[in-house]
């Protein structure tokens, strides 16, 4: 058996800036650079140790720190961007890679939904579509196919929000606890989603630093390793009808409703693991239904069983697969247009370090972190672990 | 009772692309158009270069019957922008020819919608200068 493809890569630094509904005096660039410095310091590194950057604000960092010429990925969003950095180190193109992202000051027209929720596409914009509606069309089809109930979805939202209630740095820290009844009593946004089943809007920055695994002995933190990853896409988000049954000729056994299944299969195969080996599920939570859907998509339960799974006690703290332990986008933070897609990775790293400020899973060895969702026609997966693969 | 109606306010309007001009011209002419593959006979929407069924590039525009069934729906109470009157009800409609499109429901109360509802297209000439398809329950 050959060496694991990510044997030489370690996640050694993470940082969240302050997260808030509004961060006065910041813009995307300023909050991203603050996050970058935090993650580099967390790792015990210096800015000049970085020789690779990811995304637009990584480019700002490399200019300001005058560390060019450096490797750069043009990716900007979440797990795919992280995997670019992982691959760059594994292949020797870079030694230490910074992925910093942040959002502030862009959501000012508050009578409308946030700008990143409503791309101006010719086939959806005139119908008042935005993210909640796109995801609702997927959830409604699942309810029709499988009898999934509003109560089941509301329960998942309550669990995630209660994790954020307990996290000191969450935007909605202390704003719970919630029951499924509380969730169902909140105002309707896009049927079947009530307000408390939807992501918030907020501002903040986040960053991750990766380096070669042979350097970790000199660094500050217990390293976390990348056991496997995958990305699943069906096409541009929010331009075409979000059809549950949208298929693809290369994998006719799969549909867009289960986007992420192939990515999870690939990540598990790379890791030599399966759903039973996952200790903590840092699942992306744009809307309540996506929690149920991901447990089905990734093989934790069968098709149509997501509602029963999330109400079985499995996803609560102490359950077999605790989910989104900081409150996710519903309670911890969304952080602008892109930050939220990196937050699951940061929380997965904290869980494996044993330092998560809420709902730490005792002895967690493997974390599954995800991004995206069915309504956006993509889902990304990365498996993180304490043991070097 | 309040019947759902087309959105006549200052909503974001479509800007046709090179591929979609025939679709929007069809709407202006009171025709709901889709692309039919000359090789496999399959229907494709949204407007494309490649057939969704066989990747052939031999697609020809055809006029739909305009009839279909609701495949999925949502009722929106928090509008995308203040220009939208709430509630409004976006649908995915499965058309008789086997393709799917997204549009809003009109001509009934918001709670009349359900998966499987038989619907038919109608057109609304928005004052902003473009004609948009909507769907009403089939009578
Ligand atoms: Zn064809």
């Amino acid at each position: 058996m050959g060496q694991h493809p990510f044997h030489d890569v370690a996640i050694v630094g993470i940082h969240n800036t302050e997260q808030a509904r509004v961060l006065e005096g910041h813009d995307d660039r300023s909050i991203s650079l603050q996050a970058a410095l935090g993650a580099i310091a967390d790792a015990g590194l210096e800015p000049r140790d970085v020789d690779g950057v990811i995304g637009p604000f990584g480019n700002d960092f490399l200019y300001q720190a005058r560390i060019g010429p450096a490797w750069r990925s043009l990716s900007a969003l979440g797990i795919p961007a992280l995997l670019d950095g992982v691959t760059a180190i594994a292949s020797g193109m870079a030694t230490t890679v910074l992925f910093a992202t942040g959002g502030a000051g862009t959501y000012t027209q508050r009578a409308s939904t946030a700008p990143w929720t409503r791309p101006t596409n010719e086939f959806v914009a005139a119908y008042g579509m935005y993210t909640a509606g796109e995801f609702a069309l997927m959830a409604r089809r699942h309810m029709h196919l499988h009898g999934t109930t509003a109560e089941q979805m509301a329960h998942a939202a309550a669990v995630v929000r209660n994790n954020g209630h307990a996290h000191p740095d969450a935007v909605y820290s202390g704003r719970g606890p919630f029951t499924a009844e509380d969730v169902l009593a909140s105002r309707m946004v896009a049927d079947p989603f009530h307000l408390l089943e939807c992501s918030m809007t907020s501002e903040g920055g986040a960053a991750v630093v990766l380096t070669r695994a042979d350097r970790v002995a000199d660094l500050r933190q217990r390293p976390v390793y990348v056991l496997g990853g995958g990305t699943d896409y069906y096409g541009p988000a929010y331009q075409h009808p979000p059809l549950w049954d949208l298929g693809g000729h290369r994998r006719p056994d799969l549909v867009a409703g289960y986007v992420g299944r192939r990515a999870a299969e690939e990540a598990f195969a790379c890791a030599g693991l399966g759903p039973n080996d996952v200790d903590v599920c840092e699942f992306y939570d744009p809307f309540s239904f996506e929690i149920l859907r991901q447990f089905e998509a990734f093989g934790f339960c069968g098709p149509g069983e997501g509602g029963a799974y999330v109400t079985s006690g499995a996803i609560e703290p102490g359950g077999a697969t605790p989910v989104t332990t900081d409150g996710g986008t519903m309670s911890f933070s969304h952080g602008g247009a892109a930050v939220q897609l990196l937050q699951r990775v940061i929380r997965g790293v904290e869980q494996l370090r044993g330092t998560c400020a809420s709902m730490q899973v005792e002895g967690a060895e493997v974390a599954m972190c995800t991004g995206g969702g069915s309504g956006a026609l993509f889902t990304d997966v990365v498996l993180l672990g304490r043991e070097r693969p | 009772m309040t019947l759902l109606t087309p959105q006549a306010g200052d909503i974001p309007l479509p800007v046709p692309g090179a591929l979609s001009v025939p679709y929007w011209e069809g709407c202006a002419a009171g025709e709901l158009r889709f692309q039919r593959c000359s090789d496999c006979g399959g229907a494709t929407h949204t407007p494309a270069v490649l057939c969704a069924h066989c990747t052939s590039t031999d697609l020809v525009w055809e006029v739909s019957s305009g009839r279909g069934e609701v495949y999925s729906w949502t009722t929106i109470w928090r509008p995308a922008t203040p220009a939208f009157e709430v509630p409004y009800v976006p649908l995915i409609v499965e058309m008789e020819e086997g393709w799917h499109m997204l549009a809003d429901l009109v001509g009934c109360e918001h709670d009349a919608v359900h998966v499987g509802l038989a619907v038919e297209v109608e057109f609304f000439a928005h004052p902003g200068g473009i004609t948009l398809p909507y769907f009403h329950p089939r009578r």
Side-chain angles (χ1 to χ4, degrees):
Chain A
M1 183 138 162
Q3 201 170 64
H4 188 284
F6 308 141
H7 176 75
D8 290 331
V9 184
I11 300 175
V12 294
I14 52 173
H15 187 69
N16 270 308
T17 68
E18 180 189 356
Q19 309 281 319
R21 291 277 287 164
V22 175
L23 287 173
E24 293 294 345
H26 273 292
D27 60 16
D28 294 351
R29 179 177 289 117
S30 69
I31 200 67
S32 299
L33 291 168
Q34 186 177 314
L37 291 172
I40 291 167
D42 178 66
L45 290 164
E46 298 292 333
R48 289 180 185 181
D49 292 320
V50 173
D51 67 352
V53 296
I54 294 170
F57 307 114
N59 215 19
D60 286 324
F61 181 87
L62 84 80
Y63 180 81
Q64 292 192 14
R66 300 295 197 277
I67 54 174
W71 176 88
R72 182 189 174 210
S73 164
L74 295 179
S75 294
L77 291 177
I79 288 167
L82 180 87
L83 293 174
D84 277 359
V86 169
T87 307
I89 293 173
S91 65
M93 287 188 288
T95 301
T96 299
V97 173
L98 166 70
F99 179 13
T101 178
T106 57
Y107 183 20
T108 53
Q109 304 294 314
R110 296 278 170 156
S112 298
T113 62
W116 56 83
T117 69
R118 44 184 176 91
T120 56
N121 175 264
E122 60 179 309
F123 294 104
V124 300
Y127 299 115
M129 290 298 289
Y130 60 101
T131 47
E134 300 275 358
F135 280 80
L137 289 168
M138 282 288 192
R140 174 69 53 192
R141 188 68 189 175
H142 192 272
M143 295 170 83
H144 172 74
L145 289 172
H146 298 295
T148 305
T149 67
E151 289 73 16
Q152 289 169 331
M153 292 189 280
H155 182 82
V159 170
V160 171
R161 283 186 176 269
N162 289 344
N163 293 345
H165 164 73
H167 195 296
D169 301 328
V171 172
Y172 290 145
S173 180
R175 293 277 286 267
F178 298 98
T179 64
E181 291 71 34
D182 296 329
V183 172
L184 294 173
S186 63
R187 67 181 165 83
M188 192 65 91
V189 171
D191 197 333
F193 298 141
H194 304 76
L195 181 67
L196 294 180
E197 296 178 86
C198 301
S199 166
M200 73 172 83
T201 60
S202 61
E203 301 184 341
V208 169
V209 175
L210 311 165
T211 194
R212 288 185 54 86
D214 59 14
R215 303 191 66 212
V216 300
D218 303 329
L219 301 181
R220 279 185 63 210
Q221 304 290 353
R222 181 193 174 95
V224 166
Y225 297 96
V226 179
L227 307 183
T231 74
D232 273 7
Y233 286 68
Y234 274 88
Y238 317 136
Q239 297 187 18
H240 310 289
L243 200 69
W244 179 271
D245 294 298
L246 176 67
H249 299 292
R250 299 187 69 252
R251 279 292 297 268
D253 58 319
L254 300 179
V255 293
Y258 287 127
V259 63
R261 174 167 295 177
R262 188 198 69 122
E265 287 170 357
E266 292 190 346
F268 281 131
C270 180
L273 300 174
N276 288 338
D277 300 305
V278 175
D279 299 311
V280 57
C281 293
E282 293 294 348
F283 288 176
Y284 190 62
D285 63 325
F287 301 95
S288 57
F289 169 69
E290 286 297 310
I291 299 293
L292 287 62
R293 187 193 75 81
Q294 289 177 86
F295 282 110
E296 295 181 23
F298 304 148
F300 289 82
C301 62
E305 296 173 0
Y309 188 86
V310 302
T311 50
S312 69
I315 70 169
E316 276 91 339
T321 52
V323 77
T324 316
T325 57
D326 60 347
T329 70
M330 289 194 244
S331 182
F332 182 79
S333 186
H334 196 279
V339 182
Q340 75 284 359
L341 288 165
L342 187 57
Q343 285 291 359
R344 294 305 94 223
V345 171
I346 290 178
R347 210 63 60 224
V349 170
E350 287 184 351
Q351 283 286 352
L352 299 176
R353 287 180 179 180
T355 60
C356 189
S358 60
M359 310 306 174
Q360 174 64 46
V361 176
E362 239 13 81
E365 293 282 340
V366 175
M368 185 174 193
C369 309
T370 68
S374 61
L377 301 183
F378 78 94
T379 295
D380 306 314
V381 173
V382 66
L383 289 167
L384 305 180
R386 281 165 67 97
E387 295 301 319
R388 186 176 180 182
Chain B
M1 77 176 232
T2 316
L3 294 185
L4 299 168
T5 56
Q7 301 281 347
D10 184 22
I11 61 172
L13 293 174
V15 178
L19 296 176
S20 62
V21 165
Y23 174 86
W24 293 111
E25 286 177 348
C27 292
E31 295 181 347
L32 185 65
R33 296 179 185 169
F34 66 101
Q35 289 169 296
R36 176 81 76 186
C37 177
S38 300
D39 287 324
C40 78
T44 291
H45 177 81
T46 50
V49 171
L50 303 179
C51 169
H53 307 275
C54 75
T55 73
S56 165
T57 55
D58 195 0
L59 301 180
V60 289
W61 288 96
E62 192 169 305
V63 179
S64 167
S65 73
R67 290 189 297 270
E69 286 189 355
V70 172
Y71 171 93
S72 193
W73 59 273
T74 175
T75 304
I76 294 192
W77 296 89
R78 194 289 189 232
T81 76
F84 287 92
E85 301 272 349
V86 292
Y88 54 91
V89 182
L91 312 169
I92 297 175
V93 178
E94 183 167 306
M95 303 303 298
E96 281 183 342
E97 300 91 359
W99 55 287
H100 296 81
M101 69 172 282
L102 190 145
D104 288 354
L105 182 65
V106 294
C108 62
E109 292 181 71
H110 73 80
D111 55 5
V113 67
H114 59 86
V115 173
L117 177 69
V119 292
E120 182 165 29
V121 74
E122 67 175 61
F123 294 95
F124 172 69
H126 190 279
I130 195 158
T131 298
L132 295 165
Y134 285 81
F135 284 87
H136 61 251
R138 227 140 74 199
R139 296 177 257 272

